[in-house]
Amino acid sequence: MKRTLLFAALALPLAAAAQTKWDLATAYADTEFQTRNVRMFADDVKKLSGGKLDITVHSAGSLIKNPELKRSVQTGLVPMAEFFISNFGGENPMFEVDAIPYLAVNYKEVRALWEATRQPITEGFAKQGIRLLYSVPWPTQAFYTKEPVKSIADLKGKKMRTYNAQTARLATLLGVVPTTVQATEIPQAFSTGIIDLMYTAGQTGVSTRAWEYTKYFYDTGAWAPKNGVFVNEGSFKKLPADVQKAMTDAAKTAEERGWKLSEEQNTEAPKVLAKNGMVLAPLAPAFTAELRKVGETMLNDWLAKAGEPGKAVIADYRKRVK
Ligand code: PCA
């Protein structure tokens, strides 16, 4: 017994020396499926690398706040981060192609859009010194309101929670007041009256207990924006080849698993909302027509910004969903 202990004590520093410890920062809470998937990814990297790389996941903005995540991984402040890709449409329009309402309205289309844009998006980040390891969509975006909505007129002047420039633009086009609130701060923003309604996935509604401050759930199915998990390219290159492979293999698995989880949540989360008393209300035809118009405007704006490469990916996408 004594001997085993002594052996263990001697073995420890050796094992520790061979192990690299990294941090991965994300803005989202542990209750979100995206975070669960990131944690499984970190476990897989550890297993596949034979324990050589141990990634600690820091969730809910506990290490780095949402707006700082990309810059932090770019400058190497943290080697890895997960962030919401369309937050950075201002740097490269390609990054926000998945945040245009009614461009891709089901998982088949969302996947086709990803297949048509993965390369330019990956290259865009590579130019900035970060490697996109995998990307997973949030379930389709839905309105959460306190009162029933028959058309845009019912929303006029209300304060809507937004999470990036695209949703702020959407809010402006709807005639509501955009108010930036991080996902983890949604309950507090409702209870203090900073926002009257929000627009997010059913899953995020479950994670933030939307039934405690809203009543109606309108799933538009209009878009499924994506998160990405990133590594600083310089840090990645310094890893031994077998650890690099462990990371890219684990990323492939995480992407497949994540898409499955996302699709599952897309049907399961609304049931949880209903069980807790929310009304799963159908979108009124007038409201749908108005939203589609807003979507068209946003697509045209995007095409004007994204130029020839933008036109090319949309044409490629349209071919894929024909
Ligand atoms: N949930 C995250 C991003 C999009 C989503 O569905 C949020 O609301 O911040």
Side-chain angles (χ1 to χ4, degrees):
M1 179 70 180
K2 248 191 196 149
R3 216 167 153 181
T4 327
L5 275 178
L6 181 66
F7 179 74
L10 284 174
L12 201 63
L14 279 181
Q19 188 181 64
T20 304
K21 282 188 181 286
W22 272 10
D23 292 313
L24 187 158
T26 179
Y28 302 101
D30 284 317
T31 43
E32 300 277 12
F33 83 96
Q34 297 272 23
T35 313
R36 290 207 311 272
N37 196 33
V38 174
R39 288 196 183 280
M40 288 188 263
F41 163 72
D43 286 347
D44 286 349
V45 171
K46 192 171 177 184
K47 251 183 257 150
L48 292 176
S49 69
K52 282 194 204 161
L53 183 59
D54 187 5
I55 301 168
T56 304
V57 176
H58 301 267
S59 57
S62 58
L63 187 65
I64 291 160
K65 298 278 167 252
N66 199 6
E68 297 298 320
L69 284 166
K70 176 167 174 284
R71 212 157 52 101
S72 300
V73 68
Q74 230 173 307
T75 58
L77 187 65
V78 278
M80 299 186 83
E82 178 193 44
F83 58 79
F84 194 64
I85 296 178
S86 56
N87 282 357
F88 301 95
E91 296 178 11
N92 180 341
M94 233 26 110
F95 298 162
E96 63 183 12
V97 69
D98 63 6
I100 302 168
Y102 290 104
L103 179 59
V105 297
N106 54 52
Y107 275 79
K108 203 174 144 247
E109 293 189 3
V110 172
R111 191 175 284 282
L113 185 62
W114 178 221
E115 281 164 4
T117 55
R118 179 196 272 268
Q119 198 189 338
I121 290 173
T122 305
E123 284 170 6
F125 285 116
K127 272 194 204 131
Q128 302 181 328
I130 49 181
R131 176 183 291 246
L132 174 56
L133 285 166
Y134 74 82
S135 179
V136 171
W138 291 90
T140 57
Q141 304 292 287
F143 285 101
Y144 294 71
T145 64
K146 292 175 196 280
E147 281 122 33
V149 180
K150 292 205 181 64
S151 74
I152 284 181
D154 295 329
L155 301 175
K156 280 267 172 310
K158 294 213 162 42
K159 289 165 282 176
M160 182 169 97
R161 181 251 170 175
T162 52
Y163 48 67
N164 61 16
Q166 280 294 87
T167 39
R169 173 91 178 112
L170 171 71
T172 309
L173 290 169
L174 293 176
V176 297
V177 183
T179 311
T180 305
V181 174
Q182 298 304 334
T184 46
E185 283 152 19
I186 288 170
Q188 201 189 343
F190 270 109
S191 64
T192 53
I194 287 171
I195 49 172
D196 308 305
L197 71 139
M198 68 173 171
Y199 193 73
T200 186
Q203 213 276 316
T204 297
V206 171
S207 179
T208 55
R209 303 174 69 80
W211 51 87
E212 290 178 359
Y213 38 85
T214 59
K215 180 90 184 150
Y216 299 90
F217 175 79
Y218 296 94
D219 194 355
T220 63
W223 96 58
K226 290 188 294 295
N227 273 8
V229 167
F230 296 84
V231 59
N232 176 285
E233 184 65 25
S235 309
F236 180 80
K237 286 264 168 65
K238 278 187 211 131
L239 293 171
D242 60 327
V243 180
Q244 288 185 5
K245 181 166 185 321
M247 187 174 284
T248 49
D249 285 354
K252 204 160 172 268
T253 307
E255 181 156 312
E256 278 161 23
R257 182 178 53 221
W259 280 72
K260 255 191 230 139
L261 285 171
S262 175
E263 205 164 348
E264 251 167 56
Q265 285 301 325
N266 202 38
T267 47
E268 291 311 310
K271 292 182 195 160
V272 179
L273 296 173
K275 231 189 254 155
N276 283 284
M278 288 199 72
V279 179
L280 308 187
L283 279 186
F287 191 28
T288 308
E290 290 168 329
L291 284 174
R292 280 191 176 277
K293 245 195 153 157
V294 168
E296 257 170 54
T297 305
M298 288 178 71
L299 176 60
N300 290 333
D301 289 355
W302 185 85
L303 282 167
K305 259 198 309 195
E308 285 310 314
K311 262 191 222 143
V313 294
I314 298 299
D316 180 13
Y317 162 66
R318 300 265 192 232
K319 244 189 265 152
R320 288 170 192 266
V321 291
K322 236 185 200 160

